[in-house]
Amino acid sequence: MMGFNELISALSNWLWGWPMRILLFGGGVWLTVSLGFFQFKYCRRILRETFGKIFSSKKDGEGTISPFQATTAALASTVGAANIIGVSVAVAFGGPGAIFWMWVVAAIGCASKFSEIALGVHYREKNARGEFVGGPMYYLKKGVGGRIGRWLSLIFSFCLMLEIIPSIATQSLSVVRSVNELGVSSIAAGTVLAVLVGLVVFGGITRIGKVAEVMVPAMAVCFIIGALMVLAVNLSKIPEALSLIFRSAFTPAASIGGFGGAGIIATLRWGIARGTYSNEAGMGTAPVAHSTAVTDHPCRQACWGIFEIVADTMIICTVTGLAIIVSGAWTALPAKDAATMPLYAFSSVFGDKIGSTAISISLTLFVISTIITLVYYGEKQAEFLFGYRFSLFMRTVYVAAIFWGALGGLSSLFYVLDILLAMVIIPNMIGLLTLTPEIKKLKNDYFSGAMRWREGKFS
């Protein structure tokens, strides 16, 4: 008879096989078609509204924090270990062609992330402290409505509140393992990490936004510069690497060195899976942060969701993947050592000591920023379910989970993480598909220039 752990593992593997990929990727395709391929049609305008206004201090509309602060807070969750280790895992098991399918997923995912953020802002409300709050739990309850909407909102919120605990513990453990190699003990690392995160999250979304707008761009730029230096040293190999990515996306990748080869199905599987996990499009987490932003239209803030995907997948994941390919890490190391491929790539240019230190610091900063945002996401679910006071209690629980995770605790919860995450995604995607007409109305209102939206309604 199959044991409980084996049963949970089998269920998780099945859910995150074709069912979840069809729901996320298929849902993204549906929204892309329904919204008239807007992410391509209005590409220049979206870039102008985001990249072109990063340093703008102009604030139109109402909200708690600036649009860029809300975006960097959401980016803090997406830009993490998946951008370093996740990409190398995709290449190790799916070949270079997996990067191409990560790009495809990113392009399609723009519609999902745009849609959920637009709905998040459209259905947001003020809490007892006068702060704007929003996310899937609100647009499921008020947008989908009725008993079904209420139950979907409760399932989403409750499962996300619980999923955050093992997720934080896992992130904490990855930092500890990284700094252990530098001679730092698990207890010391866990304590420092919990204190640092606590100092930020107990200041609320305002402090989170201020920290994120400085920390996230700085750590991302530093990592990108390191990866670009690897590419610069191997400049002559870049054209062949790009050619390999496109060729391998449509033809089986042959076995080379430590790479065991990959068929088209494996390439698709790993590219779609890692691309989806990396940018979090369709997961429903980003709207929780974006709903706090100062904005005069839901779709103006939703454009920043597309900015997230461009920064996360199209830039950071791409330079990581190219660095792994041009350095030869993907063929020099077997798939089981995929996690060390970025280290191999950096060490090939900077040397073992500097390379390992750079990767360790990058992972640590990425994970700290991710944990900070995860705590906020979790406490907002607690607030929605049980009120503001309970959210303060859960904030303490999440900070404690950092220390427990650093010591290897909560390991019994790790295997349910993926199932809880699936139970978060399913109601959110149902909401997006159900509310497609509402999303189209918001999109048309914004891009037509009419701008008739005012605080959750059209006028």
Side-chain angles (χ1 to χ4, degrees):
M1 184 177 177
M2 185 181 292
F4 180 72
N5 285 1
E6 289 79 7
L7 182 63
I8 293 296
S9 178
L11 177 59
S12 175
N13 290 334
W14 178 79
L15 274 174
W16 282 94
W18 287 111
M20 199 55 58
R21 281 176 234 149
I22 290 172
L23 181 62
L24 286 168
F25 188 70
V29 171
W30 166 264
L31 289 167
T32 295
V33 174
S34 298
L35 299 179
F37 299 88
F38 78 98
Q39 66 264 53
F40 308 109
K41 183 179 179 180
Y42 299 107
C43 181
R44 289 181 61 184
R45 177 172 175 178
I46 292 169
L47 292 177
R48 188 170 63 247
E49 288 290 331
T50 54
F51 283 94
K53 294 186 177 180
I54 289 178
F55 302 107
S56 175
S57 59
K58 184 179 179 181
K59 296 181 179 180
D60 293 321
E62 290 189 284
T64 305
I65 61 177
S66 74
F68 185 62
Q69 287 177 336
T71 302
T72 51
L75 260 177
S77 175
T78 59
V79 177
N83 298 94
I84 301 177
I85 297 175
V87 176
S88 58
V89 169
V91 173
F93 290 97
I99 296 175
F100 172 84
W101 293 110
M102 289 180 71
W103 294 337
V104 173
V105 167
I108 297 301
C110 285
S112 300
K113 182 155 279 192
F114 176 92
S115 298
E116 58 191 3
I117 293 172
L119 290 175
V121 176
H122 184 56
Y123 286 102
R124 69 182 180 178
E125 56 188 52
K126 286 186 178 181
N127 65 8
R129 300 185 68 193
E131 298 174 337
F132 278 97
V133 291
M137 55 281 197
Y138 291 96
Y139 60 71
L140 288 171
K141 179 183 176 181
K142 298 194 292 184
V144 176
R147 183 176 297 178
I148 293 177
R150 176 64 177 169
W151 274 105
L152 287 174
S153 68
L154 292 175
I155 292 170
F156 172 90
S157 197
F158 185 72
C159 289
L160 181 56
M161 183 182 72
L162 294 183
E163 190 270 344
I164 296 289
I165 298 174
S167 185
I168 287 175
T170 303
Q171 296 281 348
S172 176
L173 186 59
S174 68
V175 169
V176 169
R177 286 175 175 171
S178 178
V179 298
N180 281 162
E181 297 178 4
L182 301 178
V184 181
S185 70
S186 297
I187 294 178
T191 301
V192 172
L193 186 59
V195 171
L196 288 176
V197 171
L199 288 173
V200 177
V201 300
F202 278 95
I205 187 59
T206 303
R207 187 177 299 171
I208 292 173
K210 289 179 180 179
V211 171
E213 77 171 333
V214 175
M215 183 178 182
V216 173
M219 70 183 188
V221 168
C222 288
F223 178 77
I224 290 171
I225 289 174
L228 289 177
M229 291 178 69
V230 174
L231 296 181
V233 172
N234 297 277
L235 190 62
S236 62
K237 299 178 182 178
I238 293 179
E240 174 57 26
L242 291 171
S243 176
L244 188 61
I245 289 172
F246 285 100
R247 290 200 315 270
S248 301
F250 301 98
T251 58
S255 176
I256 307 173
F259 177 66
I264 299 300
I265 298 299
T267 303
L268 276 166
R269 175 187 183 278
W270 286 102
I272 293 175
R274 300 318 303 179
T276 299
Y277 191 79
S278 174
N279 58 52
E280 295 186 3
M283 290 187 181
T285 49
V288 179
H290 283 278
S291 295
T292 64
V294 174
T295 188
D296 62 348
H297 196 286
C299 292
R300 189 184 300 281
Q301 187 60 32
C303 288
W304 284 97
I306 296 177
F307 168 91
E308 279 181 48
I309 292 181
V310 172
D312 176 87
T313 306
M314 306 305 289
I315 297 178
I316 300 177
C317 287
T318 297
V319 296
T320 303
L322 285 173
I324 290 169
I325 295 172
V326 300
S327 66
W330 74 290
T331 57
L333 300 174
K336 65 182 181 67
D337 294 328
T340 62
M341 287 182 182
L343 172 59
Y344 181 101
F346 273 62
S347 296
S348 68
V349 173
F350 303 109
D352 291 341
K353 187 173 182 179
I354 296 178
S356 62
T357 301
I359 292 297
S360 294
I361 291 175
S362 295
L363 273 173
T364 300
L365 292 176
F366 281 6
V367 169
I368 288 176
S369 67
T370 297
I371 291 176
I372 288 172
T373 305
L374 288 177
V375 172
Y376 178 75
Y377 288 166
E379 67 176 74
K380 289 298 108 177
Q381 308 315 308
E383 180 179 327
F384 175 79
L385 292 168
F386 305 111
Y388 179 72
R389 288 188 178 181
F390 188 77
S391 73
L392 297 180
F393 167 74
M394 287 305 299
R395 185 186 294 177
T396 304
V397 170
Y398 293 138
V399 173
I402 299 172
F403 187 75
W404 294 334
L407 300 181
L410 301 177
S411 58
S412 60
L413 295 177
F414 291 169
Y415 58 84
V416 302
L417 193 154
D418 284 346
I419 293 178
L420 285 172
L421 186 57
M423 296 306 296
V424 168
I425 293 171
I426 291 171
N428 181 56
M429 288 305 299
I430 291 174
L432 294 183
L433 298 178
T434 303
L435 295 172
T436 298
E438 189 78 10
I439 300 166
K440 288 176 64 176
K441 191 176 179 182
L442 287 167
K443 187 269 295 184
N444 291 336
D445 176 64
Y446 178 70
F447 287 106
S448 69
M451 296 291 287
R452 293 175 292 106
W453 180 89
R454 289 294 181 274
E455 287 304 301
K457 63 182 180 179
F458 293 97
S459 58

